[in-house]
Amino acid sequence: MTSQLHRLSAIRAVLADSVPSGHESSAPATDEAVALEVDSILQRVSTSLDVEAERRGAAAGSEFAKARSLLIGHGTQALRKLSAGDGPENFSDDEVGSLEAVVQFDGSRPALVLREGAVDPHHPFLGKWANDIGGGVQSIRHCASSVGRLEPSGGGPLDFFGTGFIFDCKAMLIITAGHVLDQIVKRVGRNGSKSGDVLKLGDEVRIDFDGEADTAAKRLLKVEAGVRVGKSADMALLVARPLSEKEDADHADAEVPASIDTRLVVPAGGKPVPGSLCVIGFPARFAPPRSQPDGHQVNWEWVRYHLTGAAQGVKRLAPGLPLRQPDPNSNGRTFGHDATTAGGNSGSPVIAWKDQHQPAIGVHVSGMTFETNEAEFLASIGEDLNCAMQALRKWRA
């Protein structure tokens, strides 16, 4: 119940826009009710969805209309309870699910599709982030080009392991989540190694640095090996190379993207995690829901799937704020955030997009929005990361 209270309080704070315009507050959950303009929120959701339906035309279909009706119906009742300060015991699972969807479609915490490395400046779900995204077009494009979808050979948006990003373009080193490497090894097996710590991945793993919606194009590198970063962090380092003509004539000699700047030290003064951030990656559900189940329980993944255009496993940008700073009592290893994520986002860079050079400050590894979204804090694992780099360089030599 305490977890549910935290979740509802965080949602309430986000919907009330209680964070100052400078994004310098992390909007922690509290027990105090925050006033909500329920009709205004519902109007934003309805307008955004109407614009989205018009954009899609006939492609929206009856599923979009049904998903919209479910969201508005459950969301209206849930918002009124939230505004009145009702306790978590008065919310059904469907009402909590509707609130988590509302924040995505009213513009509070969207997950925005990237095309050619950019967000549509007229996207109906931009909400309060329109100026931030509009003013950071070039930096977003630079960062997005260095984020890739880790997948088996022949894989794609419905068959992939997670997200990775370029850490060192010269050495072709890629950071991802440790459990993503575990999934890769489980799927393709371990094809020998020259070092006890380095896992050789055979010929079956690729990373696609395109992976955008509405395109069949791929920009592939072959992922050769990986190593866990440290003993406690959920992080891994991979090494890749361009494919040869013999290996893949259609995708041979792809250009290696530039590195994303990474912050491996805590900045002097201020908070370790700044007041505004974004996550770039590939949220997905590996088996998109085919139908809306009957009965009272709503499948909110089905609702989101149809309202977001059924675009699974494609590159998206999700803006958000920190919810928890690194805890010095646990070596400051992780922090919390409230950007909208889903399965497939593991390994995504968490980027301080308002700081100079837009550095990656963390690696998204797990969680549920508004409850336990967690990222590894890069500044806490510099020594372990250096050891992992040395292991891969020694293996490749």
Side-chain angles (χ1 to χ4, degrees):
M1 193 64 72
T2 301
S3 175
Q4 191 81 307
L5 175 62
H6 179 100
R7 205 165 166 190
L8 289 169
S9 298
I11 293 171
R12 184 188 294 117
V14 167
L15 289 172
D17 198 20
S18 61
V19 179
S21 59
H23 304 316
E24 292 305 320
S25 171
S26 59
T30 68
D31 293 335
E32 297 179 4
V34 179
L36 295 180
E37 296 181 1
V38 174
D39 292 339
S40 177
I41 295 169
L42 289 169
Q43 181 63 33
R44 289 201 304 269
V45 174
S46 295
T47 300
S48 294
L49 292 176
D50 287 345
V51 171
E52 180 70 4
E54 184 177 350
R55 283 157 55 97
R56 290 195 223 167
S62 60
E63 290 88 354
F64 183 95
K66 187 171 184 179
R68 183 189 188 281
S69 177
L70 284 166
L71 177 59
I72 297 298
H74 287 277
T76 298
Q77 185 173 356
L79 283 167
R80 301 205 184 285
K81 287 183 178 181
L82 195 66
S83 182
D86 284 18
E89 68 279 1
N90 292 329
F91 287 82
S92 69
D93 290 342
D94 282 344
E95 287 169 340
V96 175
S98 72
L99 290 172
E100 292 174 343
V102 163
V103 300
Q104 184 171 349
F105 300 114
D106 86 322
S108 293
R109 294 296 184 274
L112 302 157
V113 169
L114 289 162
R115 291 181 173 86
E116 297 183 357
V119 174
D120 180 351
H122 305 295
H123 197 290
F125 302 151
L126 273 177
K128 69 182 76 174
W129 304 99
N131 291 336
D132 291 332
I133 290 173
V137 173
Q138 293 305 317
S139 60
I140 290 170
R141 181 174 283 116
H142 167 76
C143 290
S145 69
S146 302
V147 179
R149 186 174 60 211
L150 287 159
E151 57 190 49
S153 178
L158 299 183
D159 182 15
F160 71 105
F161 304 111
T163 302
F165 63 96
I166 293 285
F167 169 64
D168 183 333
C169 60
K170 292 183 179 179
M172 288 178 275
L173 298 178
I174 296 160
I175 289 178
T176 189
H179 68 269
V180 171
L181 176 58
D182 293 344
Q183 291 173 21
I184 292 173
V185 171
K186 184 177 180 180
R187 172 81 172 263
V188 305
R190 178 176 176 173
N191 187 15
S193 70
K194 293 182 180 179
S195 167
D197 294 329
V198 176
L199 303 171
K200 188 177 177 183
L201 302 175
D203 299 321
E204 302 176 52
V205 186
R206 307 286 186 264
I207 183 166
D208 179 8
F209 289 100
D210 193 334
E212 295 187 337
D214 307 326
T215 177
K218 284 180 172 286
R219 187 153 56 108
L220 297 177
L221 295 182
K222 177 181 177 178
V223 181
E224 294 187 295
V227 61
R228 276 276 193 162
V229 176
K231 295 182 179 180
S232 58
D234 187 4
M235 263 186 61
L237 197 62
L238 311 175
V239 62
R241 65 166 174 79
L243 289 153
S244 67
E245 189 80 15
K246 183 178 180 180
E247 289 172 321
D248 188 336
D250 293 330
H251 303 103
D253 300 319
E255 182 181 356
V256 180
S259 306
I260 291 183
D261 187 37
T262 51
R263 180 181 291 164
L264 299 178
V265 296
V266 178
K271 295 179 179 179
V273 180
S276 182
L277 51 83
C278 73
V279 174
I280 300 178
F282 296 84
R285 291 294 181 235
F286 286 74
R290 295 179 181 274
S291 63
Q292 169 58 35
D294 294 329
H296 176 71
Q297 187 67 32
V298 175
N299 184 338
W300 290 101
E301 289 303 323
W302 184 93
V303 171
R304 286 193 183 91
Y305 177 79
H306 287 289
L307 294 184
T308 57
Q312 296 285 290
V314 298
K315 194 176 293 185
R316 291 179 182 266
L317 178 146
L321 304 173
L323 285 179
R324 174 176 54 80
Q325 292 288 329
D327 183 0
N329 295 322
S330 61
N331 299 319
R333 191 175 61 81
T334 64
F335 64 91
H337 68 87
D338 67 3
T340 294
T341 59
N345 263 122
S346 290
S348 299
V350 182
I351 299 167
W353 63 341
K354 299 304 166 190
D355 287 15
Q356 187 177 16
H357 306 306
Q358 297 82 40
I361 56 172
V363 182
H364 175 79
V365 294
S366 68
M368 183 179 295
T369 304
F370 298 116
E371 188 171 350
T372 57
N373 262 11
E374 188 167 271
E376 295 286 349
F377 186 43
L378 284 168
S380 72
I381 53 177
E383 185 176 342
D384 288 335
L385 189 58
N386 185 59
C387 290
M389 285 190 289
Q390 295 304 320
L392 285 174
R393 285 170 179 157
K394 182 179 178 181
W395 173 82
R396 182 174 254 183

